[in-house]
Amino acid sequence: NVSRDLIQQAFLWTKDEEKARDFARWVPAFSLATMCHLRDPRAHDLKAELIAAAGPPETADGKGIGLTEAEINEICARPVGMNAPHYVLHRMRGKLEGLGFDLSDSRRMLMEYNITR
């Protein structure tokens, strides 16, 4: 599972758990954005799907919390001409660069490959 691999790689290869956790919160957003993009828009509401991704709001707290309301709004109000899955990938790549771990070229390329396949 590519999503699992990305999250594990982020936690294994960085020294900053908070940055890895931040990256990990965006991984399910890509799957949800892709699902909503490929299906009939009347069948799925991207914002509602992203909000529900972390589970019921009353139980999501601390380390288990998903994307913030501002991040969800950012995805929904992405630049004109950019679909939601591409926007989320763009943000994930930015987060990958910001993870601050000393990645060898092979590790970085593996994560890049997992993000784009």
Side-chain angles (χ1 to χ4, degrees):
N1 179 311
V2 176
S3 297
R4 179 201 61 227
D5 292 348
L6 277 169
I7 292 169
Q8 287 178 343
Q9 289 165 345
F11 278 94
L12 285 171
W13 296 340
T14 186
K15 294 177 176 110
D16 189 332
E17 183 180 329
E18 212 43 53
K19 286 184 179 181
R21 201 171 295 287
D22 182 46
F23 176 83
R25 292 182 307 106
W26 282 82
V27 173
F30 174 70
S31 300
L32 293 170
T34 302
M35 177 187 75
C36 292
H37 179 71
L38 295 174
R39 295 183 179 170
D40 185 337
R42 295 169 295 190
H44 295 281
D45 177 73
L46 177 60
K47 186 172 187 170
E49 296 284 352
L50 291 169
I51 291 169
E58 61 275 4
T59 62
D61 64 346
K63 294 181 179 178
I65 165 175
L67 294 177
T68 66
E69 186 176 341
E71 290 167 330
I72 291 170
N73 289 335
E74 178 185 333
I75 294 168
C76 293
R78 64 199 172 272
V80 174
M82 185 178 261
N83 64 43
H86 286 164
Y87 183 77
V88 173
L89 280 178
H90 170 72
R91 294 287 279 127
M92 286 175 65
R93 286 185 128 166
K95 300 235 175 246
L96 175 63
E97 301 232 342
L99 277 173
F101 45 55
D102 185 23
L103 277 182
S104 66
D105 285 342
S106 60
R107 285 181 175 178
R108 185 189 53 74
M109 288 183 351
L110 181 58
M111 287 191 81
E112 282 283 338
Y113 172 75
N114 280 335
I115 287 176
T116 57
R117 74 172 157 153

